[in-house]
Amino acid sequence: DTLWDLAIAEVEKRENPDDDGKRVEVSEKSVLFMGNKNGGKTTIILRCLEREESPKPTLALEYIFGRRAKRHNTPKDVAHFWELGGGTSLLELIRIPISSNNIKSFSVVLVLDLSKPNELWTTMEKLLQVTRTHVNKILTKLEQTNPKVATEMQQRMRNNLQKDHPDYELVDPFPIPLVIIGSKYDVFHEFDSEMRKIISKTLRFISHYYGASLVFTSKSEALLMKARVLINHLAFGYDKSKSVSVDHSKPLFIPAGLDSLSQIGPPPASDTDIGKMRANTPLELWKKVFEKTFPPKSFCDLQDTKDPAQDLQYAEYEVDVMRAQKKQ
């Protein structure tokens, strides 16, 4: 048999009904990880895939995949993990993994470094804005070519909140599933309790507003397990967790749709301060209150200035000699 014959036979075997008379379909999902530079994205991905290797710094856009079988003797589902390196300095690369072919099964994990509150809002805003703009462009095209899928996707994001949820009309769900991970909880836990409260409340508001799940994690196995539950739901369609932890003195864990504005409360500032702040939307108001306590780092500070060509992990003797010669 040629390779093609074997491939055809394999496909037919998969497509023909199994013992139950059901067709077994292999599901493929894609997840894009992005967030602060050195925020722990690679570590989280490796733990999700149960790989023991030690993480290397991500240069631009990395790809890795995982396979899992839902039940014994069933084909393995595939999850494609993309990771955007360099914090917010390589935003245009977001266009590469997200396309109209995979948008229906695509989701985003935003990893925010809790130990750097001054970078938190800028990083979150920049990454989510660029992703949202790109996804919306794809959805606009889909509305013309395949309106059924576009409507299905919008409805699915709306369904994160029950119709009778008091905030149903007040939130603005992200167009594709989103999980926000607050990393380095061990460092964050040492912060002053008032600072922790402001950061926690703000992240709860952002997650609830965008219809996202929120989890705080660190290198501890127990916390990484909680993040894995949410990621496995996105990547392999595992069951969602129903547990919730909203206590600011403990690591937060809030699956999408299980929080509410009344539980989160108003932005942590005095009424007179809030009165002076001019904001058109609730999101803008929270931003102003948050940045009053944690003035943002300018976008230039978050840009990557190191030349990746000088990075030792990519050293190649022959190439480097030729480059040195050319430079000379």
Side-chain angles (χ1 to χ4, degrees):
D1 286 359
T2 67
L3 193 57
W4 291 114
D5 297 330
L6 292 170
I8 292 164
E10 175 67 21
V11 168
E12 278 173 358
K13 194 171 87 186
R14 285 188 190 181
E15 287 184 349
N16 285 339
D18 62 2
D19 302 344
D20 307 331
K22 291 192 198 102
R23 249 184 68 179
V24 178
E25 287 202 356
V26 174
S27 103
E28 281 194 45
K29 291 181 161 48
S30 305
V31 185
L32 170 63
F33 284 75
M34 53 193 189
N36 291 84
K37 204 171 173 301
N38 303 326
K41 300 182 288 297
T42 311
T43 307
I44 293 167
I45 294 172
L46 292 174
R47 289 305 303 126
C48 276
L49 296 174
E50 294 170 9
R51 299 198 180 187
E52 292 303 322
E53 59 211 74
S54 52
K56 288 196 186 86
T58 303
L59 181 65
L61 190 65
E62 295 266 349
Y63 169 79
I64 190 170
F65 71 92
R67 300 171 73 203
R68 293 266 165 84
K70 277 209 181 70
R71 287 183 305 282
H72 191 54
N73 282 344
T74 57
K76 289 182 172 177
D77 294 337
V78 181
H80 307 281
F81 288 119
W82 294 87
E83 183 192 348
L84 179 71
T88 52
S89 59
L90 300 165
L91 294 170
E92 62 281 3
L93 292 182
I94 286 172
R95 298 198 305 266
I96 294 170
I98 312 178
S99 70
S100 51
N101 300 329
N102 64 10
I103 189 79
K104 202 178 165 193
S105 57
F106 208 97
S107 43
V108 170
V109 174
L110 175 65
V111 180
L112 297 173
D113 186 339
L114 295 172
S115 67
K116 297 177 183 164
N118 299 73
E119 293 179 16
L120 198 142
W121 195 287
T122 317
T123 303
M124 179 274 302
E125 193 173 53
K126 281 269 184 294
L127 289 168
L128 291 188
Q129 261 173 6
V130 173
T131 309
R132 186 170 213 156
T133 307
H134 177 60
V135 169
N136 283 342
K137 268 187 200 157
I138 293 175
L139 288 179
T140 309
K141 277 188 194 155
L142 259 186
E143 276 165 9
Q144 292 153 5
T145 56
N146 194 340
K148 189 170 165 245
V149 170
T151 316
E152 238 175 66
M153 285 182 63
Q154 282 155 350
Q155 202 43 54
R156 185 180 66 185
M157 289 316 295
R158 270 286 180 209
N159 289 348
N160 267 339
L161 273 193
Q162 300 303 321
K163 272 259 167 41
D164 55 359
H165 194 291
D167 307 333
Y168 192 75
E169 295 300 327
L170 303 170
V171 296
D172 182 16
F174 203 68
I176 53 179
L178 172 66
V179 167
I180 297 177
I181 296 180
S183 65
K184 305 199 182 169
Y185 179 77
D186 44 347
V187 181
F188 172 75
H189 191 57
E190 304 298 317
F191 284 9
D192 166 69
S193 69
E194 201 47 44
M195 281 168 73
R196 286 208 312 267
K197 192 175 168 187
I198 293 172
I199 297 168
S200 298
K201 275 184 86 161
T202 304
L203 283 176
R204 276 180 70 186
F205 174 78
I206 291 167
S207 304
H208 184 57
Y209 187 75
Y210 285 132
S213 299
L214 174 66
V215 58
F216 282 4
T217 182
S218 69
K219 284 185 177 159
S220 100
E221 203 51 47
L223 288 185
L224 276 168
M225 275 300 289
K226 291 199 157 190
R228 269 177 68 182
V229 167
L230 293 175
I231 294 164
N232 281 336
H233 173 66
L234 298 180
F236 298 106
Y238 285 19
D239 288 344
K240 267 185 177 175
S241 170
K242 288 279 187 286
S243 72
V244 177
S245 166
V246 292
D247 182 350
H248 294 146
S249 59
K250 297 192 179 105
L252 297 181
F253 180 83
I254 311 168
L258 298 183
D259 212 341
S260 70
L261 293 175
S262 58
Q263 279 180 295
I264 298 166
S270 67
D271 291 350
T272 45
D273 279 352
I274 287 178
K276 285 179 198 160
M277 290 176 185
R278 293 226 171 99
N280 297 324
T281 62
L283 194 67
E284 225 175 282
L285 180 63
W286 277 84
K287 178 182 179 174
K288 288 188 170 168
V289 170
F290 184 79
E291 291 187 341
K292 196 167 185 264
T293 313
F294 304 106
K297 273 195 164 184
S298 74
F299 187 48
C300 307
D301 296 345
L302 300 177
Q303 290 281 24
D304 212 356
T305 47
K306 264 196 0 224
D307 176 7
Q310 305 303 322
D311 196 319
L312 291 177
Q313 69 170 318
Y314 303 106
E316 281 185 66
Y317 179 73
E318 288 87 351
V319 178
D320 295 341
V321 168
M322 295 297 283
R323 280 198 55 161
Q325 223 174 336
K326 181 170 188 266
K327 210 168 162 189
Q328 205 176 343

